[in-house]
Amino acid sequence: MATSTSPLCPHPQTSEVLSVCSCSRAMIRCKMAMARLVACLALYTSLGHIPSSLGVILRTTDKIVWANEFEPIELTCLIESISTNNPRIEWKKIKNGVPSYVYFQNKISGDLEHRAQLREPANILIFNTTRSDTAEYRCEVAAIDDQRDFDEILISLAVRVKPVVPRCSVPEAVTVGTSTELRCLENEGFPAPQYRWFHNNEELPQDPKNSPRFINSSYSINPDTGGLKFRRVRKEDAGEYYCQAKNDAGHAQCPPQIMEVYDVDILGIFLKSLAAVTLFICVTACLCHSLKRGCFHKKGHNENNYNWPAQNDGVEYGDADEGHFRHKSSFVI
């Protein structure tokens, strides 16, 4: 009978004994493998990584979603794995840090009531988005029959708003060589629009030095604020101007306005002339008023201003140089 040795059977053994030793060695290996598997599962559980067959797992196609105002948009909440047949699904809208339900107890509620619906498996479709829908939305799924019975996913929704007609300010008249500024402002668009200026239906380039047509111009455009500044106005700058505000949702423009350029300051001359005429009228009126009150009347040098006393006492006075007087018949001593 053949004999041999092995690590489990160090002493010489028969073939039957060797067979028993091989089985024992295989069982030890299985136990070690099971121990490793249990350790891996414990590690996954402690880290929150549970195999798909043991818990609910959610995902989304886009965590940051953009939509145009008054257009439909769908927020995706995909359930990759779940064992529970009827999980509890909820959607919350979080704006300025305050959560509110938009899908609760199997119906649309809150800000989305009558404007949205739930689509399988847990997506939410908004029929017509508005600027007030810009917020964060959280999809929550609870599955009581799963080892991991809850999962959630956060989605950010931003609604683009088309600009309205901007307010434009264009000076009616400027003088050659002076500086001036044209302004354009729009407050409704989201994201904030960029501004462009047009002169006689031709778009002004951001940098005039890059265009042979405007290389001698002294203007500068701020696309963020809508300002169009001229350091030195030229005669060629006269014409029709309008501004356009544009973002990803659309654009709007103000009505054209005409700016005239003069060689001389006509407005300044007119104002100075008006001031001179007004001053002349005031001085003339003052003189007339003074003359009427006799402020400027002078008496002649030969006029005698002395008033003689009345001579009704019966005495007839002579001249001062005669040195005497005469008595009338009625004089009584």
Side-chain angles (χ1 to χ4, degrees), residues 137-155:
Y137 293 83
R138 187 168 63 215
C139 174
E140 301 176 357
V141 176
I144 60 175
D145 294 336
D146 289 63
Q147 183 173 341
R148 177 179 174 174
D149 59 0
F150 181 82
D151 197 11
E152 65 182 24
I153 197 162
L154 193 65
I155 301 172

Side-chain angles (χ1 to χ4, degrees), residues 172-202:
E172 294 182 357
V174 294
T175 307
V176 172
T178 60
S179 62
T180 190
E181 182 178 2
L182 286 67
R183 295 181 178 88
C184 183
L185 182 63
E186 193 279 334
N187 293 324
E188 296 294 328
F190 181 80
Q194 295 285 294
Y195 297 96
R196 300 188 297 173
W197 277 96
F198 293 79
H199 176 228
N200 294 332
N201 294 321
E202 181 178 359

